[in-house]
Amino acid sequence: MARITASVYTSHVPAIGAALDLGKTGEAYWQPVFAGYDFAKQWIKEAQPDVVFLVYNDHATAFSLDLIPTFALGTGASFTPADEGWGPRPVPMVHGHPELAAHIAQSVIQDDFDLTLVNKMAVDHGLTVPLSLMFGQPEAWPCKVIPFAVNVVQYPVPSGRRCFQLGQAIRKAVESFDEDLNVQIWGTGGMSHQLQGPRAGLINREWDNRFLDRLIADPAELAGMPHIDYVREAGSEGIELVMWLIARGAMADVAGGPPPTVLQRFYHVPASNTAVGHLILENP
Ligand code: DHB
Ligand code: FE
């Protein structure tokens, strides 16, 4: 059977992608950001996932105000890196896992989560920057990736509670797929940032670190936090953090298993306008 072996959490700052693509990772500004992912890059070489279920948000690239799916599951065989205004990032094509994605669709929709199924979709920095942070700059991504886009751009956005419950349904779906697959689930976006308005530039280190503590130790309680708290404390784009609860909901302890092992915890400011947070939780 397929198994969810670990969850990974990371910010997706577009300037991180640009720093990588333009060869600036050694610069004094960026060096401490990338150093926070040295452990992850080593670890994932050994962990060797077959499939990453990658929870991220689209930034008006594949979707727009014309069409706003709350939860969009990428069921296609491949996904092209998007042109976000400066041309597509020079990163490999993303290859999906249509069979596992179809199985997840069947299971999760029958569990009462009304997903949108997307067979064709471009993927923006929300998805490609986490892949680059974890895998570096390979010729081809070393595993299949199932994109799962969550609307955290246009209100109403899904609640933390709904995201946490959805993670549990995704776990049940993956672990009932009849093929030996090592599956990781990644929650991306965040941490605190606000890109526009009078509060642009807002960063809240204390709140971010408390979020990490609670995500590790008591995600069920954290899932009850209302949107207004994210936006007030972590800025308008801090709401991206609700997506981390999907990945956390898919871990074994939430289904009555043992607590995860914290393999990596990293927090750094500054990186563009965003506080960078990163966690790796492994199922024992
Ligand atoms: C920045 C962060 C984001 O999450 C994003 O989608 C765009 C820009 C930033 O830090 O500049
Ligand atoms: Fe973003």
Side-chain angles (χ1 to χ4, degrees), residues 12-14 59 125 193 195 240 271-274:
H12 67 211
V13 191
H59 300 75
H125 66 271
H193 60 306
L195 300 178
E240 290 179 341
S272 189
N273 303 294
T274 307

Side-chain angles (χ1 to χ4, degrees), residues 1-3 50-51 97 177-183:
M1 302 302 254
R3 280 196 349 106
D50 299 304
V51 184
H97 196 306
F177 186 64
D178 194 12
E179 190 184 324
D180 276 334
L181 288 177
N182 172 354
V183 181

Side-chain angles (χ1 to χ4, degrees), residues 101-220:
H103 172 80
I104 292 171
Q106 168 73 24
S107 178
V108 168
I109 291 173
Q110 289 303 312
D111 267 340
D112 305 332
F113 293 87
D114 307 316
L115 307 182
T116 299
L117 306 184
V118 192
N119 290 313
K120 189 169 178 218
M121 170 167 76
V123 287
D124 71 10
H125 66 271
L127 182 130
T128 63
V129 166
L131 285 175
S132 297
L133 281 168
M134 295 298 295
F135 292 124
Q137 295 169 292
E139 286 288 309
W141 300 121
C143 63
K144 305 286 170 92
V145 178
I146 298 179
F148 191 78
V150 179
N151 168 43
V152 289
V153 170
Q154 177 63 38
Y155 284 82
V157 311
S159 67
R161 191 182 342 100
R162 188 69 173 157
C163 289
F164 190 58
Q165 289 166 347
L166 176 56
Q168 295 169 57
I170 291 166
R171 172 186 182 75
K172 185 174 151 199
V174 168
E175 303 226 333
S176 61
F177 186 64
D178 194 12
E179 190 184 324
D180 276 334
L181 288 177
N182 172 354
V183 181
Q184 292 183 0
I185 183 164
W186 295 6
T188 68
M191 295 197 83
S192 55
H193 60 306
Q194 168 139 351
L195 300 178
Q196 19 61 46
R199 294 205 309 162
L202 179 145
I203 297 287
N204 189 341
R205 286 171 186 266
E206 205 175 310
W207 188 92
D208 284 341
N209 278 289
R210 182 88 188 102
F211 184 92
L212 294 174
D213 295 340
R214 294 166 77 189
L215 188 76
I216 294 165
D218 197 356

Side-chain angles (χ1 to χ4, degrees), residues 58-69:
D58 178 75
H59 300 75
T61 305
F63 306 117
S64 70
L65 293 181
D66 289 350
L67 177 68
I68 308 169

